[in-house]
Amino acid sequence: MTDSFEELQLAPEIVDALAAEGIERPTALQAAAVPVVQRGHNLLALAAPGAGVLVAVGAPLLSRLDPDEGGPVGLVVTATRERALSLAEALGRLAGATGHRVAALGSAWALPERASVLVATPGDLVARLAEGGLTLEHIGALIVDGASVVETLGGLPHLETVAEALPSDAQRVIVTLPLTDGVRDFAERHARRAVTVPPQDAEGAGPDAPGRGRVEVRIVEAEKDEEAAALAGDLLTDDVHHLVVFARNDDVAADLGDRLALRGFGVGAPGDPDAPVWLVVDDLTGRQALDALPEGRG
C-alpha cells in the first residue's frame, strides 16, 4: 500500500505543490500509474475523470521532463477545447513549482508554441502544425486524455497524424474508459509494450482509496434535463450523501446547476456540506473535496 507521494519518488517540489492543493495520499490509480510514467514507460490507463487522472499522469510528466525554452517537451491531447483549457489550468498550478510553462491551444494563452507542456485537441494541433511555428521534435511524452471520447468526436485520424509526427522514442500514455476497439488498435500501434493499469483502479476503489466506498461513473448529455435530474434522484439515497458532477466548463456547470436547483436538488461547490450535488469543473478541486469526505459519507 502506498500512503504518500514521497514513496512514489516524485520530485519534492511536486509533492509540495500537491500538498498545497490538499492532495497528500495517492489513489489506487495514481499509485499504479505514477511509477510507470516516472520511468518513461508507455502506459495504457483504464480510467475516467474523477479517478485522479490528472495527477496520475501529469505529476510524473512534470517530474521527469526538464523544461525547454525552445518548445514543448510534453504534449497532452484531449477531446475538446473546453477540456484542454481545464487541464491546462489545473496542470499549470503544479507546473509553477517545477519551472514548466503550460498552455492550451484554442484559447487565450501567450505563445503556446513556446510552452513546456502544450494541451490541445487533435484537430487544433494538426492545424497549428500545418501553419508552421510549432515543432514537436523535442516532445518526450504524449498523453492522450479520454481517448474513447476523442474517437467518438472523430479525432482519431488527427491523433494518428500527431503520433506519427513525434520522435520515435517519445513516451506514449493513453487514458481511456471504455477501451474501444479503435483505441485498442491505436495503442497497439503507437504505444507498444505499454503497461496496462487494470480497470478496478479506474474506479478509485482500491484498498488505499480513503473513505470512498464504491464509485459509479455515469455520462449524460448536459442538455437532457430529465435524464440528469433522474440520475440525481436515483443516485442520492440514504447511503449516498454527495453526488459529484464533472462538467466540461463553467458555463455548462452553471446551466446544469440551475436546472437541477429548479427540480429541488441542493446544488453547491465542492465541499459544501449542505449541498448534496457538487458541481466540479477542475479535477484537482474535485479530488480535494472528495478526499475531505469522512469515512462513509461519499
Side-chain angles (χ1 to χ4, degrees), residues 12-198:
E13 57 269 27
I14 294 181
V15 174
D16 292 341
L18 289 171
E21 296 285 346
I23 303 173
E24 299 181 345
R25 187 177 181 185
T27 66
L29 170 68
Q30 291 159 359
V34 166
V36 177
V37 180
Q38 182 94 320
R39 290 192 291 266
H41 298 316
N42 291 343
L43 173 70
L44 176 61
L46 305 180
V53 170
L54 177 67
V55 173
V57 297
L61 176 76
L62 296 175
S63 182
R64 189 175 77 81
L65 298 179
D66 293 329
D68 187 332
E69 294 297 328
V73 294
L75 185 62
V76 181
V77 179
T78 192
T80 67
R81 288 181 176 178
E82 292 85 358
R83 176 69 173 167
L85 176 61
S86 175
L87 286 176
E89 289 177 342
L91 191 60
R93 295 207 298 274
L94 297 181
T98 63
H100 296 80
R101 190 170 73 85
V102 181
L105 287 180
S107 55
W109 293 77
L111 299 175
E113 64 278 357
R114 301 292 298 275
S116 306
V117 179
L118 185 62
V119 189
T121 68
D124 283 341
L125 266 174
V126 170
R128 183 59 66 92
L129 288 170
E131 293 171 1
L134 173 65
T135 177
L136 302 182
E137 63 181 334
H138 301 300
I139 294 294
L142 164 70
I143 294 174
V144 181
D145 167 74
S148 62
V149 182
V150 172
E151 179 184 22
T152 298
L153 297 180
L156 274 188
H158 283 150
L159 185 58
E160 290 274 355
T161 300
V162 172
E164 291 169 0
L166 298 179
S168 59
D169 60 349
Q171 180 185 28
R172 319 295 171 99
V173 176
I174 300 171
V175 182
T176 187
L177 195 68
L179 177 58
T180 66
D181 290 341
V183 173
R184 187 191 304 274
D185 176 67
F186 177 87
E188 289 174 350
R189 290 183 293 105
H190 293 287
R192 294 184 177 89
R193 296 182 294 279
V195 176
T196 300
V197 175

